[in-house]
Amino acid sequence: MSEPSTAFLRHFREALGVDGAIRFDRFVDLALYHPEVGYYRGRRMRVGRGPSTDFYTSSTSGPVFGELVAAACADLLGGTSPSTFEFVEIGAEIDGGILAGIDHPFRSARTVGAGDRIQLTGQCIVFSNELLDAQPFRRFVRRNAAWMEIGVGLRGTELQEIEMAGAVDLPGLPADAPEGTYFDAPVGSISLVRDIASQDWSGLFVAFDYGSSGSAIVEAYPGGTARAYRRHSQVPNLLDAPGDQDLTCDVCWDWIASALQENGFQVEPLESQEQFLVRHAQRQLAAISHEEAGRLSRRKLAMQQLIQPGHLGQRFQVLCGRRPST
């Protein structure tokens, strides 16, 4: 296990409570978003297929992903002209976002960096790709027919998971989970969506990510869904080298849908990435297939990776919500 950096330890010690531990979501927030030591705050390449990157996603497929997303969002608007909407990508991992360098039908496009302040007004299409899974999460474990909160403490210079005393204040945890079950609760994604949805804007919310319902996650992943990645490999210890590895857990889509509905959004049924793109970007898919007929070009290969079930088509899901102008 790699020890934390001196800078991270300094900030971690400042955050420790009187009981000698901090909640896991506080640790994740430090490790991912602290201005000095956070993983997503550093100026480095995180996404891609190169040896110095840590993971790849749909945006790694190049401009084809942006073309398909733009076409799908325009389709979702129905008869409303997309030229009156600003496309806002939150947590963009490539310079300029997925619409950089491609023609799109929107009034404008801008990006908001991960962890930066989000300001929305007017008519917007708010888009994110693998942002919700990268938000702080709390960890719980089932002990003696009750849920215990897991925190992070310090022994010398070694970070350790600690089961914290006190009542659990998160409603909705399954009451019949077996002994030893872990549940990673993506509370940071809910806070983020509520911040987005509570602002004064109308239009579309479109999130690409991976997850399931809360109950299904508990049943399918009794060991929890929290994972750490570095250099395209899963790291066995979530506390290893904080600030130098990605931390993630599955999204609870029913929680996200409820947060949107609480703020006046009509939420579409959850779809796989394949279903979403085939249904809403059919013309663009057909155009790419026609242009690249008879050869396996980079554009055609990228398209196939995005929609084929064996690649990214089933790994990711898409949740859409719409709020009309008042």
Side-chain angles (χ1 to χ4, degrees):
M1 176 176 173
S2 301
E3 289 190 351
S5 67
T6 301
F8 185 89
L9 281 175
R10 182 176 72 252
H11 293 295
F12 182 83
R13 288 190 176 102
E14 291 173 356
L16 279 176
V18 294
D19 54 358
I22 61 174
R23 272 185 3 190
F24 210 90
D25 57 334
R26 179 68 176 123
F27 164 75
V28 176
D29 188 52
L30 277 172
L32 295 185
Y33 294 108
H34 188 278
E36 180 183 349
V37 296
Y39 173 77
Y40 281 106
R41 294 295 197 170
R43 294 293 297 175
R44 50 165 291 197
M45 289 294 294
R46 290 173 286 267
V47 179
R49 290 186 168 85
S52 63
T53 61
D54 296 316
F55 57 92
Y56 69 90
T57 184
S58 296
S59 61
T60 318
S61 301
V64 169
F65 184 54
E67 294 171 18
L68 294 176
V69 169
C73 290
D75 180 74
L76 281 165
L77 292 173
T80 304
S81 172
S83 63
T84 63
F85 287 80
E86 180 181 38
F87 186 95
V88 184
E89 181 179 354
I90 301 175
E93 276 289 338
I94 56 175
D95 289 341
I98 64 166
L99 299 188
I102 71 170
D103 292 331
H104 62 77
F106 310 116
R107 171 172 55 86
S108 59
R110 65 180 169 97
T111 62
V112 179
D116 290 344
R117 184 181 179 189
I118 301 169
Q119 292 182 294
L120 303 166
T121 187
Q123 292 185 307
C124 298
I125 297 169
V126 178
F127 168 82
S128 68
N129 178 54
E130 282 202 82
L131 173 69
L132 300 180
D133 69 272
Q135 300 306 304
F137 53 89
R138 294 170 69 177
R139 300 206 80 197
F140 300 92
V141 62
R142 191 76 170 166
R143 299 284 190 224
N144 301 317
W147 287 101
M148 294 287 293
E149 180 126 30
I150 296 176
V152 181
L154 193 63
R155 182 177 182 180
T157 58
E158 180 183 352
L159 296 170
Q160 296 182 329
E161 289 193 3
I162 295 175
E163 294 182 14
M164 303 174 71
V168 170
D169 62 353
L170 186 70
L173 293 174
D176 57 351
E179 179 76 6
T181 296
Y182 283 80
F183 180 63
D184 296 301
V187 293
S189 64
I190 309 305
S191 297
L192 176 62
V193 171
R194 284 178 174 150
D195 177 37
I196 291 169
S198 65
Q199 297 188 40
D200 186 19
W201 63 279
S202 61
L204 298 176
F205 172 94
V206 181
F208 284 58
D209 228 304
Y210 55 86
S212 186
S213 66
S215 59
I217 287 174
V218 171
E219 293 173 5
Y221 300 97
T225 66
R227 297 176 294 279
Y229 290 96
R230 184 165 67 244
R231 308 300 184 265
H232 296 278
S233 296
Q234 186 170 342
V235 180
N237 194 324
L238 298 174
L239 308 184
D240 191 32
D244 193 41
Q245 66 179 11
D246 188 25
L247 295 170
T248 178
C249 81
D250 280 24
V251 173
C252 290
W253 286 118
D254 46 341
W255 294 9
I256 300 296
S258 294
L260 291 170
Q261 290 165 343
E262 290 168 4
N263 287 277
F265 281 79
Q266 301 168 353
V267 178
E268 299 288 321
L270 185 68
E271 296 182 291
S272 69
Q273 180 170 297
E274 174 195 16
Q275 291 171 324
F276 176 82
L277 293 177
V278 168
R279 188 154 76 95
H280 294 292
Q282 184 62 55
R283 291 184 179 179
Q284 188 64 25
L285 288 169
I288 294 172
S289 296
H290 178 74
E291 291 167 5
E292 310 298 330
R295 57 175 181 159
L296 190 61
S297 65
R298 284 189 176 183
R299 282 173 57 76
K300 193 171 184 178
L301 180 60
M303 181 190 73
Q304 292 175 349
Q305 290 174 335
L306 290 168
I307 64 174
Q308 285 186 350
H311 290 280
L312 301 173
Q314 289 293 327
R315 179 184 175 191
F316 295 101
Q317 301 91 47
V318 185
L319 187 72
C320 299
R322 68 180 76 226
R323 183 167 58 188
S325 302
T326 56

